[in-house]
Amino acid sequence: MDSLLEEHEKLSRKAPLSKSLQDVQQTIDMLISARNSISDNPASAPITLAKLQNPVKASFDVIKNDLGEIYKGLGLWSKALDKKFKGKPLPTTDYDALSSQPSLINRAIGMHFLREGQFSVASAFLTEASSKPLQPSVSMNNGRPEYLMAAGVAMDTSSSEGLRKQFADMYYILDEMRNRKNLLPATTWARANSTSLEARGSNLEFELGMLQFVWLFTGGPCGGDHANPTECQQAALTYAREEFGNFQGRYLREIQQLMGAMAFCPNLMESPYRHIFHNDEAWENLATSFTREFCSLLGLSADSPLYIASTAGAIALPTLLKLQTIMKEKHTEWTTQHELPVG
């Protein structure tokens, strides 16, 4: 699969849709501006249209070139797919256990879009799924049609809207954390959910405070490398006195390490505390930890179930293909849809 990943990276790098969309939008803006100008002064129409000819033609040429790169990239990607999967048919759907439960599939897809922050896509998908529901294939389970067992699991408007708001809050907090180095929204959320986090044995609230201390100590709000070390230490010490009191019972050793680092301030890179104060992955690790705890309080796993199921399916696919070939040769069949006939 490494070759496919490499080709996919090339496609993303050499044929980005964002540039094409930007060029199309510039052309649209140009046409709208001309229309407004003619609407305000109809007598200027000939001049406005004459001035518009060359820029519009040039913009069309740019868009054509953009699309050429995209089509070229897609062509190479398609060839890579054909080369990788040539002569490898997909398993048949004779034993599709999910065909009788379309609502479960729709829910998984809708949830995946919400979890990825694709709120408009999730809304459009759920609207389409509700207005044009799939007809389930009826199969029996203990004398009952299986599609009846899936009743009520589809996401209604109110539940999807509630989840959308929750995930919108999560992505706002992650954006502030990753792109602005602002831990206040995350800290506010952690304090509001402190009881639930503590019941889970979570370290998130202290981890947020710890990174805030490190950020202050290393001059985050004072200009980074050009900050006054003394002022930075004082800001970090003041923060520690105000915030770390409630954590001493559980995190005394960690707090002592943070305080002890002050003695090595001129040369932290050579100190025993280097891994705390110069960790390039600290912000991303904390973002991952926050995502995991946020989803856990919603009763969800940190990773999308649809992604996990798709990955597991891709891993199992070669085995299933081999099994299907053997079954075809020996004229045997599966006896159940709820177990894989492999050891």
Side-chain angles (χ1 to χ4, degrees):
M1 297 298 289
D2 292 340
S3 59
L4 287 182
L5 291 174
E6 183 178 350
E7 289 298 331
H8 187 270
E9 291 177 359
K10 288 181 180 179
L11 176 62
S12 302
R13 185 173 60 253
K14 295 183 178 180
L17 285 174
S18 57
K19 183 178 183 303
S20 180
L21 291 174
Q22 182 179 359
D23 292 334
V24 170
Q25 188 59 50
Q26 289 177 352
T27 303
I28 294 174
D29 293 341
M30 188 189 310
L31 294 173
I32 291 176
S33 177
R35 183 192 64 185
N36 293 338
S37 177
I38 293 173
S39 178
D40 294 338
N41 183 14
S44 66
I47 298 177
T48 301
L49 293 175
K51 291 181 178 179
L52 201 61
Q53 286 183 345
N54 290 334
V56 168
K57 184 179 182 301
S59 65
F60 283 165
D61 292 338
V62 171
I63 294 172
K64 183 179 179 181
N65 291 334
D66 293 340
L67 293 177
E69 289 296 324
I70 293 173
Y71 287 134
K72 181 180 178 181
L74 287 174
L76 294 175
W77 170 243
S78 297
K79 289 181 180 179
L81 286 175
D82 293 339
K83 182 179 180 181
K84 180 66 178 179
F85 297 107
K86 183 178 180 180
K88 297 180 180 179
L90 293 175
T92 63
T93 58
D94 296 339
Y95 305 98
D96 188 356
L98 288 176
S99 61
S100 61
Q101 301 182 21
S103 57
L104 285 176
I105 300 174
N106 289 341
R107 179 183 176 87
I109 296 173
M111 282 292 296
H112 179 77
F113 287 139
L114 287 175
R115 297 171 70 104
E116 294 297 311
Q118 301 291 333
F119 304 122
S120 59
V121 177
S123 177
F125 174 80
L126 292 173
T127 300
E128 289 289 333
S130 300
S131 62
K132 300 177 182 178
L134 295 174
Q135 296 299 321
S137 300
V138 180
S139 59
M140 303 303 289
N141 188 321
N142 295 328
R144 297 180 58 198
E146 283 196 353
Y147 68 84
L148 293 180
M149 300 176 65
V153 299
M155 296 175 64
D156 56 34
T157 304
S158 59
S159 63
S160 63
E161 180 61 25
L163 282 173
R164 188 204 67 79
K165 185 179 184 305
Q166 292 278 5
F167 281 113
D169 292 341
M170 185 187 79
Y171 276 99
Y172 165 74
I173 293 172
L174 289 174
D175 179 68
E176 289 292 312
M177 186 186 302
R178 286 169 168 156
N179 300 324
R180 296 175 176 81
K181 300 296 185 285
N182 178 15
L183 293 174
L184 181 59
T187 302
T188 301
W189 179 88
R191 288 173 178 170
N193 296 276
S194 178
T195 303
S196 299
L197 291 172
E198 187 173 353
R200 282 178 40 78
S202 171
N203 300 321
L204 178 63
E205 193 171 358
F206 178 72
E207 289 175 353
L208 287 165
M210 185 175 176
L211 187 57
Q212 181 72 17
F213 177 91
V214 171
W215 184 69
L216 292 169
F217 192 92
T218 54
C222 309
D225 296 336
H226 303 290
N228 185 318
T230 303
E231 293 180 358
C232 295
Q233 290 181 55
Q234 186 59 45
L237 183 60
T238 300
Y239 176 82
R241 287 171 176 170
E242 293 176 350
E243 303 295 339
F244 285 168
N246 295 331
F247 298 111
Q248 290 186 20
R250 187 176 174 187
Y251 303 101
L252 181 59
R253 182 174 178 274
E254 289 80 0
I255 295 174
Q256 288 174 340
Q257 287 182 337
L258 294 176
M259 296 299 102
M262 289 191 168
F264 295 87
C265 180
N267 193 20
L268 273 176
M269 289 294 292
E270 303 298 329
S271 75
Y273 309 104
R274 173 182 176 180
H275 68 285
I276 300 176
F277 290 85
H278 294 279
N279 183 0
D280 295 334
E281 299 179 355
W283 289 90
E284 189 58 36
N285 290 341
L286 186 59
T288 301
S289 178
F290 173 81
T291 302
R292 181 175 61 251
E293 297 298 341
F294 192 100
C295 291
S296 295
L297 294 192
L298 291 177
L300 304 171
S301 63
D303 297 316
S304 167
L306 184 63
Y307 171 78
I308 295 174
S310 300
T311 303
I315 294 173
L317 196 57
T319 302
L320 294 176
L321 287 170
K322 182 177 180 180
L323 173 67
Q324 188 179 66
T325 302
I326 295 174
M327 289 170 57
K328 185 177 180 180
E329 292 175 352
K330 296 187 176 183
H331 304 287
T332 58
E333 296 183 356
W334 291 9
T335 58
T336 175
Q337 293 184 7
H338 302 290
E339 294 180 3
L340 286 177
V342 290

